[in-house]
């Protein structure tokens, strides 16, 4: 019989049984099975509860970005990422930013939106107002679902009802506005939305389908700013101007903005992952916010002030929590929170926003100056050496020689490897 991916009841099997099936499927050797069987900080029982069909755990490097000052306080920033130069970038740029006192932040508070979609409503505008008349009842039903959240000062606070035109006619979209305190809040608001939905359908005589949060969390914004003294650019004043030009390019052009924002997310996602938060939620929020005017654009602004210093700012949704998700479950995430020293989800969100701005500072500094590849490829040289087959101390020797030659390429790594092995 040929191999098949149709495995009824795969989820009911033990980790060992699943491993046996994967082993046969992929013809894994004894050694390869030993790699899969290696365990890190996350024990297999915990992992098996976190997601479905677990066969192992997957590690990524955890690095610390140094030099960060936010609101006058020193922070070490834990970052989990597979790409070289991300941690180095934040560390370098955070050092540059110290000349202006570091980063300063603010935020709107931890407010999420859940959406309830109603279709086939004959009088959508009348329905909209009927729902507003039911506001107190709606909030009451929502808050019954989460007494803990209400006790902490959070809970459903308001509603907003929109009529949208769609390919299938008008829809009445109810937004439930919920303060989720120290939780990311997806489960919390989804539960509320599902509880309200049948009442909404009845009150406006429509068919309710979706009941789910919006990741465009534009009521949960974080903001960060930084001022880099012009003296930081001594002898390279044109780089400072180049950085402002680089921003204007990203602001005007979606092709550039995508990469500009990707660089910002290098810092943001790495920190979000380290804290055990949902990085897809943060990515979706960031990119949808970057498109809110109808044209995808930069999440940051860079300008020169009256002294000639460089001023950078960022504003984006930041739905991160300290409760729920993997934050409390993953032992390393718990430690990461301790290293950060944060006490509230809002403080965590503001720090992550500052890290994004800091990463953008690093990227623009390199792009407007010597280019990104010089630093990046030097750091990446070891990865290329490994990819070419180097092991042990050959990794460092091959990488070092490639950096000296200024030729950090896979073909050169292979040649050097042959030469050194002789
Ligand atoms: P959760 O439901 O695990 O925990 C939140 C609950 O903890 C609250 O409802 C409250 O009852 C309780 N709580 C205790 N102390 C609290 C405090 N100080 N502040 C706030 N709440 C407190 O987690 P969640 O944050 O509701 O959901 C997060 C998870 O939902 C993530 O794993 C995410 O990946 C997932 N998710 C995301 C999406 C999406 O982004 N589209 C959709 C569905 C689920």
């Amino acid at each position: 019989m040929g191999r098949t991916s149709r495995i009824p009841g795969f989820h009911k099997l033990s980790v060992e049984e699943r491993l046996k099936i994967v082993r046969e499927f992929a013809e894994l050797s004894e050694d390869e099975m030993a790699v899969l069987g290696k365990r890190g900080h996350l024990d297999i029982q915990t992992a098996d509860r976190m997601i479905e069909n677990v066969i192992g755990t997957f590690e990524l490097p955890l690095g610390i970005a140094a030099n960060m000052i936010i609101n006058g306080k020193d922070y070490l920033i834990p970052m989990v990422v597979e790409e070289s130069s991300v941690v180095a970038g934040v560390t370098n740029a955070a050092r540059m930013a110290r000349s202006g006192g570091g980063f300063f932040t603010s935020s709107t508070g931890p407010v999420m939106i859940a959406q309830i979609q109603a279709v086939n409503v004959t009088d959508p505008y009348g329905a909209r107002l009927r729902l507003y008349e039911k506001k107190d009842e709606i909030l009451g039903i929502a808050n019954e679902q989460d007494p803990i959240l209400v006790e902490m000062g959070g809970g459903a606070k308001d509603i907003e009802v929109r009529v949208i035109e769609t390919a299938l006619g008008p829809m009445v979209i109810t937004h439930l506005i919920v303060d989720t305190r120290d939780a990311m809040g997806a489960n919390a608001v989804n539960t509320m939305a599902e509880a309200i939905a049948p009442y909404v359908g009845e009150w406006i005589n429509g068919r309710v389908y979706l009941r789910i949060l919006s990741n465009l969390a534009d009521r949960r914004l974080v903001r960060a700013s930084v001022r880099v003294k012009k003296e930081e650019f001594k002898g390279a004043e044109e780089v400072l101007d180049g950085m402002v030009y680089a921003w204007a390019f990203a602001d005007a052009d979606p092709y550039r903005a995508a990469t500009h924002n990707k660089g910002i997310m290098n810092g943001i996602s790495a920190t979000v992952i380290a804290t055990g938060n949902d990085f897809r939620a943060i990515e979706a929020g960031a990119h949808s916010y970057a498109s809110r005017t109808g044209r995808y654009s930069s999440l940051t602004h860079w300008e020169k002030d009256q002294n000639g210093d460089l001023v950078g700012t960022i504003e984006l949704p930041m739905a991160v929590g300290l409760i729920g998700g993997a934050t409390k479950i993953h032992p390393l995430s718990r430690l990461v929170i301790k290293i950060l020293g944060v006490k509230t989800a809002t403080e965590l969100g503001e720090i992550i926003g500052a890290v994004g701005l800091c990463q953008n500072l690093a990227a623009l500094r390199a792009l407007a100056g010597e280019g990104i590849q010089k630093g990046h490829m030097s750091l990446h040289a070891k990865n290329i050496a490994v990819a070419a087959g180097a092991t042990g101390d050959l990794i460092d020797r091959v990488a070092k020689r490639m950096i000296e030659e200024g030729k950090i390429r896979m073909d050169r790594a292979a040649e050097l490897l042959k030469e050194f092995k002789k």
Side-chain angles (χ1 to χ4, degrees), residues 245-266 283 286-302 314 316 360 363-364 367:
Y245 275 112
W247 162 75
F249 180 11
D251 186 57
D253 178 27
Y255 286 93
R256 175 59 213 147
T259 313
H260 178 93
N261 290 342
K262 187 275 180 184
I264 293 169
M265 299 315 286
N266 277 341
E283 295 272 353
H287 295 296
S288 53
Y289 194 67
S291 318
R292 68 194 180 285
T293 62
R295 183 170 55 80
Y296 184 81
S297 184
S298 168
L299 286 165
T300 56
H301 276 81
W302 292 94
I314 190 169
L316 79 165
N360 194 218
L364 294 186
L367 283 168

Side-chain angles (χ1 to χ4, degrees), residues 41 57 152 230 246:
H41 298 89
T57 56
M152 323 257 5
K230 63 175 184 288

Side-chain angles (χ1 to χ4, degrees), residues 133-148:
E133 286 155 22
K134 296 279 189 189
K135 176 177 138 177
D136 290 343
E137 216 167 318
I138 292 174
L139 298 181
I141 299 163
N143 283 328
E144 271 169 28
Q145 314 306 314
D146 205 331
I148 297 180

Side-chain angles (χ1 to χ4, degrees), residues 62-68 77-97 263 266-267 270 355 358-363 365-366 370 372 374-380:
L62 167 63
I64 294 282
N67 303 333
M68 206 62 179
I77 309 294
M79 303 177 80
V80 169
V81 67
E82 87 297 345
E83 187 181 1
S84 50
S85 1
V86 170
V87 178
V90 171
T91 302
N92 276 334
R95 186 202 45 72
M96 282 175 77
N266 277 341
V355 172
C358 189
Q359 191 86 65
N360 194 218
L361 173 61
R365 173 79 180 77
E370 78 266 12
I372 209 104
K374 188 164 167 261
H376 184 75
M377 290 310 276
S378 302
L379 290 169
H380 191 50

Side-chain angles (χ1 to χ4, degrees), residues 146 148-149 152 180-190 212-213 215 278 280-281 323-326:
D146 205 331
I148 297 180
L149 194 57
M152 323 257 5
T180 62
R181 297 283 90 198
D182 288 319
M184 181 267 189
N187 293 322
V189 305
N190 291 345
I212 179 89
L213 93 160
N215 287 111
D278 182 339
R280 289 87 53 216
I323 310 278

Side-chain angles (χ1 to χ4, degrees), residues 66-136:
N67 303 333
M68 206 62 179
I69 298 185
I70 304 169
N71 302 325
K73 189 171 153 194
D74 279 86
Y75 289 94
L76 292 179
I77 309 294
M79 303 177 80
V80 169
V81 67
E82 87 297 345
E83 187 181 1
S84 50
S85 1
V86 170
V87 178
V90 171
T91 302
N92 276 334
R95 186 202 45 72
M96 282 175 77
R98 289 179 88 93
S99 67
F103 294 80
F104 296 90
T105 64
S106 62
S107 56
T108 55
V111 178
M112 298 297 285
I113 299 168
Q115 298 190 292
I116 299 156
Q117 174 204 30
V119 304
N120 296 339
V121 181
T122 45
D123 58 340
Y125 290 91
R128 175 171 175 266
L129 292 208
R130 285 205 294 288
L131 287 173
Y132 274 120
E133 286 155 22
K134 296 279 189 189
K135 176 177 138 177
D136 290 343

Side-chain angles (χ1 to χ4, degrees), residues 190-380:
N190 291 345
T191 305
M192 291 180 178
E194 289 193 3
I196 296 161
Y199 296 94
V200 168
E202 194 187 308
W203 290 330
I204 66 175
N205 195 22
R207 172 73 166 91
V208 169
Y209 280 104
L210 272 52
R211 300 138 292 161
I212 179 89
L213 93 160
S214 169
N215 287 111
L216 176 50
D218 63 359
R219 293 177 183 241
R220 195 176 195 169
L221 299 176
V222 294
R223 306 185 183 97
S225 68
V226 67
R227 181 183 309 273
V228 186
K229 288 269 163 66
K230 63 175 184 288
E231 288 74 27
E232 286 288 329
F233 296 90
K234 236 192 196 110
E237 284 78 8
E238 75 290 352
V239 172
L240 193 160
D241 289 325
M243 291 171 72
V244 181
Y245 275 112
W247 162 75
F249 180 11
D251 186 57
D253 178 27
Y255 286 93
R256 175 59 213 147
T259 313
H260 178 93
N261 290 342
K262 187 275 180 184
I264 293 169
M265 299 315 286
N266 277 341
I268 289 180
S269 292
T271 316
V272 170
I273 293 171
T275 64
N277 271 286
D278 182 339
F279 55 98
R280 289 87 53 216
I282 303 303
E283 295 272 353
H287 295 296
S288 53
Y289 194 67
S291 318
R292 68 194 180 285
T293 62
R295 183 170 55 80
Y296 184 81
S297 184
S298 168
L299 286 165
T300 56
H301 276 81
W302 292 94
E303 54 204 344
K304 246 162 73 162
D305 71 3
Q306 69 277 18
N307 286 329
D309 296 338
L310 179 67
V311 175
T313 53
I314 190 169
E315 181 182 89
L316 79 165
M318 190 56 67
V320 290
L322 291 176
I323 310 278
T327 309
K328 278 258 160 40
I329 296 171
H330 198 299
L332 269 184
S333 294
R334 285 203 299 268
L335 273 180
V336 160
I337 297 296
K338 176 144 194 208
I339 294 169
L340 282 169
V342 292
K343 297 281 181 273
T344 64
T346 299
E347 185 187 2
L348 175 62
E350 290 184 15
I351 289 173
I352 295 172
V355 172
L357 182 61
C358 189
Q359 191 86 65
N360 194 218
L361 173 61
L364 294 186
R365 173 79 180 77
L367 283 168
E370 78 266 12
I372 209 104
Q373 286 307 77
K374 188 164 167 261
H376 184 75
M377 290 310 276
S378 302
L379 290 169
H380 191 50

